[in-house]
Amino acid sequence: MYSHDVVIVGSGLAGLRAAMELAGHLDVAVVTKVYPSRSHSGAAQGGVAAALGNMDGDTPEAHLYDTVKGSDFLADQDAAEILTSDAIRTIYEMEHFGCPFSRTPENKIAQRAFGGHSYQRACYSADRTGHALLHTLFEQTYRQGGNIQIYSEWYMLRLIVEEGIARGIVAMDIQTGRIEVFRAKTVLFATGGYGRAYKITSNAFANTGDGISAAYRAGIPLMDMEFVQFHPTGLYQHGILLSEAARGEGGYLLNGNGERFMQKYAPSKMELGPRDIVSRSEQTEINEGRGAGPNKDYVYLDLRHLGREKIMERLPQVYHLAKDFIGVDAAEAPVPIQPTAHYSMGGIPADKDCQVLLDEKGNKVTGFYAAGECSCISVHGANRLGTNSLLDALVFGRRAGKSILAATEGASFAPVDEKKELAAARREIDSLLHNGATEDLHAIREELKETMTLKVGVYRNGEQMKEAHGTIKELQARFVNVRVDDRRKNFNTNLLEALELGHMLEYSELIVAGAEVRTESRGAHARDDYPTRDDENWLAHTLAFRKDDGGYELKYKPVTITRFKPVERTY
Ligand SMILES: Cc1cc2nc3c(=O)[nH]c(=O)nc-3n(C[C@H](O)[C@H](O)[C@H](O)COP(=O)(O)OP(=O)(O)OC[C@H]3O[C@@H](n4cnc5c(N)ncnc54)[C@H](O)[C@@H]3O)c2cc1C
C-alpha cells in the first residue's frame, strides 16, 4: 500500500495546478493514466478567456454576463462570478510562470474574438494554447522537485469512500499490471471529460469519464449529465477539432449552396454565436437538404479570404489538420466540417471550493474534491462558452489546492481495508478476463458511440432517446459477457478498453435518462418535441444517484441566481 497526504488523479491543467498549490506543504501524489503532457488539456487550441481589455473596453462583469447568458441561465451565478473575476489574475500568473502568449504590436497579450463573448477576450498562443499552458505547468511541477510524486501510466480503478469519508484510491500500474491501494487523507479528481461516448468526437482516447464513473460507483451522484456540448467545427467524419479561433480570426461557415447561413440564425453574431446555436444551425442546414457533398451531410469552414500568411501565422494547426487528415489546403478550398461532441458540462457535483457534494441538500463528502472538466461546479450550466474551460481548470484547480491544503494539514489517515479493496478491484478485472466470453468489445463500443451520436446528439426527441435508452440497456447486458482477448499483465490495453467501455455504458445511460425526462430545450440540450426553454419546471440541476440494484434515480436542485434573472436568449 502507498500512502500520501493527497492523491490527485489527473495531470491536465486542473490536476497540475492543484498539485503546485500543495507542493512544499504536503506529500502529494499525482496519478495519471497518460503521461502528463499527453493529457487532453494539451490539445486545446483556441484560447483562454479573461477580461484583460487589451483590445477593447472589456470588464469582468461583461465576462460574467456572457458566461451566464451562454449557459442558458443554468450556471450557478456565484460560481461563475468566481471564474470570471479570478480570470485576469490567472492569465498574469500563467504568463509569469512562463507561458508564451501571442502578443500585440505593443507587446501586450493579444486577444481574439470567440463565440458568445461580447469582447475580444481569448488570450492565446497561436492555435496551440492548451499545449503552451500544459507544458508551462508541467515545467513548474518539475521545479517543485520531489514534493510532487508523479505516478505516470497508472490507471485509477476505484475510489474508496466509506461512511461519507474518502480514504484513497485503487490503481493499476499499466506497465506491470500490479494493483495497489493508495491511502490518502484527501483525494482530488481532475480526470477530464466523457466525450469518447460519442462516435464523432473531438476528445482524446483517454476521455472516457473514468473519474465520474468511479465517483458514481462509490455512491456519489452525477450532475447535469444530459448537457453535452457539440462543437460546430469538427473535421468531417473524423470529428477532430478545428478551433473556434478559425472563426474568431474571421472564418465563414457556408452551406452546400455557398451561402453564409448564420445570417438566418444569429444575425448580430453570425459565425461567432455560441456553440449550441451554431451547431444547431449547421445541423438544420444539413437536415433540410442544404448540406454539401454527395450525401449533403456536411457544411464548410471557409478561410480562403484570410490569406495564406494569416492562416499560417494564427491558425497553423487548423491548416495542418485539414491538410493531413482530409487533404484540403485551407488557403485554397473550404474545409468540410460537421458538429462534433466536444465538452462535458455535467460531472461530479462540487461546491465553490471544489469539495464534492453527496446529495441535493448540499451534504459533502469528507476528503473528496473535484476540479476541471470532470467536475460540475456549475460555471458552464447548459452550454459552455469557448475559452472558459481552460480558465475553469486553472481557476478551480488552484482553488481546490487551497481548500485541500486547509482541510488536510493536521488531518490524519482514515483506516482502509486494503485486502477488501484489492479483492474488489481484482474481482472486476477477473470478471472481464474470464474464459468463454463471446461478445465483441469493439462491436459493443461502436454501437454505443453511433447510438449516442445519432440519437442523443445535437437535436434530440423523445422517440429517438427511448430507442437509444433501449439500445444502451441491451449493450449493458451484452457487456456482461464481453471478450478480452489479451490476457497479459503488462500493458494490457485491451483490458483497459474493456474497463472504459464499462464506464461509458453506465454513464451514457444517465446522459439519455436526464435528457429524456427534461421536457424542454436549454443550451446544448435541444429537443424537436419540446423546442422552448421552460424555466417554470426546468430551471434546475439534475442529480443522478446510483441505486443498490444498479439502477438510477433522478433528483433535482435549484440553480443559484444572484445577479441576472433569466431572460430570453437571442444573439
Ligand atoms: C480538441 C480540444 C480543444 C479544446 N480547446 C479549448 C480551448 O481552446 N479553450 C478552452 O477553454 N477549452 C478547450 N477545450 C476544453 C479543455 O481543453 C478541457 O476542458 C480542459 O483542458 C480539461 O482539463 P482537465 O485538467 O480537467 O482534464 P484533462 O486535461 O482532460 O486531463 C485529464 C487527466 O485525467 C487522467 N485520467 C483520466 N482517467 C484516469 C484514470 N482512470 N486513471 C488515471 N488517470 C486518469 C488523464 O491521464 C489526464 O491526465 C478543448 C478540448 C478539446 C478536446
Side-chain angles (χ1 to χ4, degrees):
M1 181 158 74
Y2 293 114
S3 262
H4 293 279
D5 291 330
V6 182
V7 168
I8 297 173
V9 185
S11 58
L13 289 185
L16 291 184
R17 186 61 193 83
M20 281 189 59
E21 211 55 32
L22 297 166
H25 303 283
L26 295 168
D27 164 26
V28 183
V30 176
V31 175
T32 170
K33 69 175 176 179
V34 300
Y35 189 72
S37 56
R38 298 185 71 91
S39 302
H40 191 61
S41 291
Q45 303 173 0
V48 48
L52 301 183
N54 284 352
M55 324 300 279
D56 46 36
D58 197 7
T59 61
E61 285 71 31
H63 188 184
L64 173 61
Y65 185 68
D66 288 344
T67 301
V68 171
K69 182 179 173 190
S71 83
D72 221 346
F73 295 90
L74 192 72
D76 285 327
Q77 295 182 11
D78 51 348
E81 186 153 4
I82 291 172
L83 179 82
T84 53
S85 58
D86 199 28
I88 296 174
R89 188 203 56 73
T90 301
I91 297 300
Y92 291 139
E93 178 177 79
M94 289 309 297
E95 185 191 34
H96 295 166
F97 283 161
C99 182
F101 286 114
S102 296
R103 319 298 294 195
T104 66
E106 305 80 48
N107 211 19
K108 290 182 181 166
I109 293 175
Q111 298 189 276
R112 60 164 58 121
F114 241 79
H117 291 280
S118 46
Y119 292 89
Q120 279 182 239
R121 189 174 284 149
C123 311
Y124 59 93
S125 302
D127 58 358
R128 303 188 184 102
T129 313
H131 180 91
L133 290 169
L134 185 62
H135 279 264
T136 301
L137 271 190
F138 192 30
E139 284 166 11
Q140 291 291 331
T141 322
Y142 259 95
R143 194 172 160 214
Q144 305 296 332
N147 283 318
I148 302 172
Q149 189 167 346
I150 297 184
Y151 291 84
S152 206
E153 299 190 328
W154 277 74
Y155 190 97
M156 180 274 300
L157 296 162
R158 291 168 62 78
L159 168 69
I160 307 171
V161 177
E162 297 260 359
E163 295 156 348
I165 304 170
R167 295 149 193 258
I169 62 161
V170 184
M172 177 169 70
D173 180 2
I174 299 173
Q175 203 176 351
T176 60
R178 185 163 52 98
I179 299 173
E180 289 283 353
V181 168
F182 286 66
R183 184 172 74 141
K185 295 173 183 167
T186 306
V187 177
L188 168 67
F189 271 14
T191 47
Y194 50 84
R196 284 306 293 184
Y198 284 78
K199 179 177 158 88
I200 301 294
T201 176
S202 70
N203 277 209
F205 281 86
N207 291 10
T208 47
D210 308 338
I212 58 165
S213 201
Y216 185 63
R217 290 175 184 183
I220 290 151
L222 298 180
M223 181 161 149
D224 290 343
M225 290 295 287
E226 62 269 37
F227 294 101
V228 177
Q229 175 166 83
F230 299 89
H231 192 293
T233 53
L235 203 55
Y236 175 56
Q237 284 187 327
H238 292 266
I240 297 170
L241 192 77
L242 301 182
S243 173
E244 191 167 318
R247 282 169 288 136
E249 295 292 350
Y252 298 152
L253 294 175
L254 305 179
N255 64 17
N257 306 329
E259 296 153 351
R260 275 182 80 186
F261 55 85
M262 285 311 297
Q263 183 71 46
K264 279 185 289 189
Y265 304 97
S268 71
K269 293 264 184 194
M270 292 294 284
E271 281 85 357
L272 289 175
R275 289 178 177 171
D276 55 341
I277 292 178
V278 181
S279 289
R280 278 199 288 281
S281 309
E282 290 178 359
Q283 199 62 49
T284 304
E285 292 297 302
I286 293 169
N287 293 351
E288 294 180 357
R290 292 184 295 278
N295 301 324
K296 295 189 178 303
D297 57 350
Y298 59 83
V299 293
Y300 289 115
L301 171 66
D302 189 0
L303 303 179
R304 289 172 294 181
H305 55 288
L306 302 182
R308 191 174 291 276
E309 198 180 328
K310 185 165 176 186
I311 294 174
M312 296 318 287
E313 183 206 327
R314 304 277 178 86
L315 304 165
Q317 186 171 199
V318 168
Y319 178 86
H320 285 293
L321 289 171
K323 187 94 178 117
D324 295 348
F325 283 90
I326 56 172
V328 172
D329 181 336
E332 290 186 358
V335 186
I337 47 130
Q338 69 183 123
T340 184
H342 182 59
Y343 184 81
S344 318
M345 266 79 73
I348 304 168
D351 70 6
K352 296 192 295 284
D353 295 313
C354 305
Q355 189 170 0
V356 172
L357 302 173
L358 196 53
D359 56 32
E360 73 287 5
K361 299 184 197 92
N363 289 312
K364 292 169 193 168
V365 187
T366 305
F368 186 37
Y369 293 73
E373 193 170 337
C374 71
S375 69
C376 186
I377 292 182
S378 154
V379 294
H380 309 299
N383 174 62
R384 168 178 79 87
L385 292 189
T387 69
N388 264 354
S389 165
L390 294 174
L391 180 65
D392 170 8
L394 291 168
V395 166
F396 286 95
R398 173 173 175 269
R399 230 176 137 79
K402 284 195 182 299
S403 36
I404 288 171
L405 184 58
T408 314
E409 269 182 327
S412 49
F413 287 100
V416 177
D417 187 340
E418 188 187 8
K419 265 201 193 134
K420 184 180 121 193
E421 294 302 331
L422 286 177
R426 291 231 167 82
R427 238 191 341 269
E428 187 188 0
I429 288 175
D430 289 346
S431 76
L432 290 170
L433 292 176
H434 68 275
N435 287 315
T438 51
E439 290 289 347
D440 182 358
L441 190 158
H442 304 284
I444 298 178
R445 191 174 58 196
E446 287 319 298
E447 195 171 339
L448 171 70
K449 290 160 79 83
E450 210 150 285
T451 302
M452 294 302 285
T453 288
L454 287 176
K455 297 184 177 161
V456 202
V458 174
Y459 280 113
R460 303 159 171 195
N461 64 59
E463 208 171 303
Q464 286 196 333
M465 286 193 286
K466 194 166 166 220
E467 284 169 20
H469 203 150
T471 306
I472 293 170
K473 282 271 172 227
E474 274 168 40
L475 295 175
Q476 286 174 342
R478 278 167 58 190
F479 180 75
V480 173
N481 209 16
V482 74
R483 194 177 70 244
V484 176
D485 294 316
D486 189 348
R487 303 295 163 99
R488 274 178 312 177
K489 282 217 177 307
N490 61 329
F491 276 111
N492 191 341
T493 50
N494 195 195
L495 171 63
L496 299 184
E497 282 177 319
L499 289 165
E500 290 169 350
L501 178 56
H503 302 160
M504 295 197 281
L505 285 166
E506 192 165 43
Y507 65 72
S508 292
E509 184 177 6
L510 304 180
I511 298 176
V512 184
E516 273 183 292
V517 176
R518 189 176 276 275
T519 46
E520 65 159 355
S521 288
R522 181 185 298 274
H525 171 64
R527 292 185 64 144
D528 309 327
D529 46 357
Y530 294 94
T532 50
R533 197 176 80 196
D534 175 0
D535 287 337
E536 205 168 303
N537 295 301
W538 289 108
L539 185 57
H541 295 293
T542 309
L543 286 173
F545 292 78
R546 189 173 200 263
K547 295 204 295 194
D548 290 340
D549 63 3
Y552 61 84
E553 184 183 359
L554 301 179
K555 295 185 184 173
Y556 294 88
K557 71 170 197 176
V559 175
T560 307
I561 293 174
T562 54
R563 294 173 57 168
F564 309 112
K565 287 225 160 49
V567 291
E568 199 196 341
R569 187 165 161 255
T570 52
Y571 288 93

